[in-house]
Amino acid sequence: MIHAFNVDISDISVLPDNLKFDKKRISKFLQEKIPEKEQNGKKVLDGKKLEDSWFRPIKADFFISHKHEDEEQAKQLGAYLQSKGKSVFIDSGIWGDIKTLQETIDKDYCSNKEKTFYYYGLRNKSTSYTHMLLANALLKTIVNCETFVFLNTPNSIKAENIITDISETNSPWLYFEINVANALLPEKAIIESHANFSYMPEMTFEADLKKFEKVNVEDFLVQCGFEKTEDWNCENACFEEKFR
């Protein structure tokens, strides 16, 4: 990873909305049967096959980090970059759904015979397995991508922190992705976490965006080498690619 951008997408309307993000999904997910193998005479789950079929690391020009609620905007930006010949990674457009994988494992290995409830200890174990697979794949993919693009929206960063020097997110996955990106940039920063107590509390994570270049969509495209055309300010503006 070479570059990292903190992108305000409030001006996302400058992009054409008639382009479709090419998902280019990896091989068919093993949703009906979890791969197993023998190890020291015991049956174990095959983590390598699970990663290959659900979360195989990808190499791309752009890694777009976004909150689930901003998926359509992420795909709109990704579709435009693809239209200019760039490869784009958006996890929901390429990988399997971790919730589906989790439910499949829990149903087969963590429930009672009647499938009426899950065993707490086994459920925690299966969660650690699936989250480790996903985290490892995210780390490898971010390393493999040239540019990290964080979509800064009210969904991803708490609005009340905008006027301060602190950015907080309630998403542990965004926290992880930002942390990995920071580790790959010069002068590694320490990211602290802060608990937000409420009923069944969420957790806030300090999202250290100080080293990310803060831009809007227009500035981001210019920085990436896409030159403005005469109708730049028009709705659904078109852009002409020009590499520097």
Side-chain angles (χ1 to χ4, degrees), residues 57-71:
I58 301 296
K59 184 175 183 179
D61 296 314
F62 293 90
F63 181 107
I64 299 183
S65 175
H66 67 288
K67 194 75 183 294
H68 175 73
E69 291 84 350
D70 300 318
E71 181 178 347

Side-chain angles (χ1 to χ4, degrees), residues 6 150 152 156-170 175 178 191-194 204-210 214:
N6 174 12
F150 173 68
N152 193 327
S156 58
I157 296 295
K158 294 174 64 178
E160 56 264 35
N161 294 135
I162 292 178
I163 61 175
T164 71
D165 195 35
I166 298 175
S167 298
E168 287 185 330
T169 179
N170 291 123
Y175 168 70
I178 292 169
I191 298 180
E192 300 177 356
S193 62
H194 305 275
T204 64
F205 304 91
E206 185 174 334
D208 188 351
L209 303 173
K210 298 183 184 67
K214 191 173 183 179

